[in-house]
């Protein structure tokens, strides 16, 4: 798109092109304590199971973007529960910042329909099995870290939920009733102690 800055006595402030990337991921957990995971057709680590997700479309809310991406890739319909994490990467593609927002989602359907254009496999996996893959280094460090954060939040009854203020959605932590046991065999102390360092080359996955 061609532009022309009309004022002659001040600098051109029109952005050259999109200033940020915003991606989302769905941490979809069913009532059997299973996590919805996928294998991407085109990925840095093709054999790795990861969370479904992708880029937000213009005009979408975070919840809408996660619901759409999960549905497109897996055929599973979901509803928003809580934000889990936000990752910021500087100098991503074309030296633009990148935000990656992971959200806890509740499935409202169960039949998987894989998007063959993007995904090679999709299934429900026990959370304990997924965490064991993380310990063995067989999934992306970022996905492992997000799952650790999720389990810690669940163990401590913490939820990040939106409140509408002046037409804006503000996500703030809320403490709900603490669960007697975490949703995994991992105890909360182990979750805190095992936080991995994310390698510089693994930004979005």
């Amino acid at each position: 798109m061609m532009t022309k800055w009309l004022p002659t006595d001040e600098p051109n402030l029109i952005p050259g092109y999109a200033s940020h990337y915003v991606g989302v991921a769905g941490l979809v957990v069913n009532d059997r304590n299973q996590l919805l995971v996928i294998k991407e057709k085109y990925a840095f680590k093709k054999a790795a199971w990861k969370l479904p997700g992708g880029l937000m479309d213009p005009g979408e809310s975070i919840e809408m973007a996660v619901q759409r991406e999960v549905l497109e890739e897996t055929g599973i319909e979901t509803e928003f529960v809580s934000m889990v994490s936000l990752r910021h990467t500087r100098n991503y593609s074309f030296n633009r910042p990148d935000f990656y927002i992971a959200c806890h989602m509740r499935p409202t359907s169960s039949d998987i329909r894989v998007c063959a254009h993007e995904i090679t496999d999709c299934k429900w996996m026990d959370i304990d099995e997924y965490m064991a893959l993380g310990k063995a280094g067989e999934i992306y460090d970022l996905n492992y870290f997000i799952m650790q954060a999720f389990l810690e939040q669940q163990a401590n009854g913490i939820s990040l939920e939106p409140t509408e203020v002046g037409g804006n959605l503000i996500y703030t932590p809320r403490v709900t009733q603490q669960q007697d046991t975490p949703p995994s065999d991992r105890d909360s102390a182990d979750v805190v102690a095992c936080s991995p360092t994310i390698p510089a080359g693994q930004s979005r996955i």
Side-chain angles (χ1 to χ4, degrees):
M1 179 177 66
M2 297 182 65
T3 63
K4 180 177 176 60
W5 183 256
L6 297 178
T8 58
D9 57 347
E10 56 187 69
N12 186 343
L13 301 179
I14 300 176
Y17 49 95
S19 59
H20 294 76
Y21 293 90
V22 182
V24 295
L27 200 160
V28 186
V29 180
N30 64 19
D31 56 7
R32 298 175 62 188
N33 204 38
Q34 294 174 320
L35 179 68
L36 184 66
V37 292
I38 64 169
K39 287 185 178 181
E40 290 185 316
K41 192 172 184 178
Y42 307 103
F44 296 112
K45 205 171 185 178
K46 288 189 177 181
W49 291 103
K50 67 180 292 287
L51 304 176
L55 291 173
M56 289 181 66
D57 285 343
E60 285 186 320
S61 67
I62 294 171
E63 294 94 328
M64 290 167 59
V66 181
Q67 287 176 320
R68 175 185 54 76
E69 282 291 343
V70 171
L71 181 61
E72 287 178 356
E73 293 185 350
T74 71
I76 298 296
E77 297 183 5
T78 59
E79 58 185 15
F80 178 85
V81 179
S82 171
M83 184 183 292
V84 175
S85 65
L86 185 152
R87 187 228 56 214
H88 175 220
T89 299
R90 297 186 302 165
N91 300 326
Y92 182 59
S93 185
F94 301 103
N95 294 320
R96 296 301 186 181
D98 176 60
F99 293 93
Y100 183 70
I101 305 167
C103 297
H104 177 200
M105 307 294 287
R106 182 181 296 112
T108 58
S109 65
S110 58
D111 293 332
I112 292 173
R113 299 188 308 274
V114 174
C115 174
H117 296 294
E118 302 180 53
I119 309 303
T120 61
D121 203 357
C122 176
K123 69 176 183 178
W124 294 101
M125 179 183 291
D126 289 341
I127 288 181
D128 289 336
E129 180 183 353
Y130 194 73
M131 298 307 290
L133 292 176
K135 280 187 174 181
E138 296 181 14
I139 62 174
Y140 291 103
D141 288 336
L142 179 57
N143 276 208
Y144 184 40
F145 185 92
I146 290 171
M147 285 302 301
Q148 289 174 331
F150 168 71
L151 293 175
E152 182 181 356
Q153 291 168 16
Q154 292 288 291
N156 291 284
I158 298 173
S159 177
L160 265 69
E161 301 176 18
T163 300
E164 186 171 345
V165 180
N168 301 299
L169 292 178
I170 311 297
Y171 291 81
T172 54
R174 301 177 185 180
V175 179
T176 59
Q177 183 176 358
Q178 184 167 339
Q179 299 181 5
D180 294 332
T181 56
S184 168
D185 288 340
R186 297 167 52 82
D187 61 39
S188 58
D190 190 27
V191 171
V192 175
C194 292
S195 299
T197 300
I198 307 301
Q202 294 189 11
S203 58
R204 168 161 297 284
I205 310 303

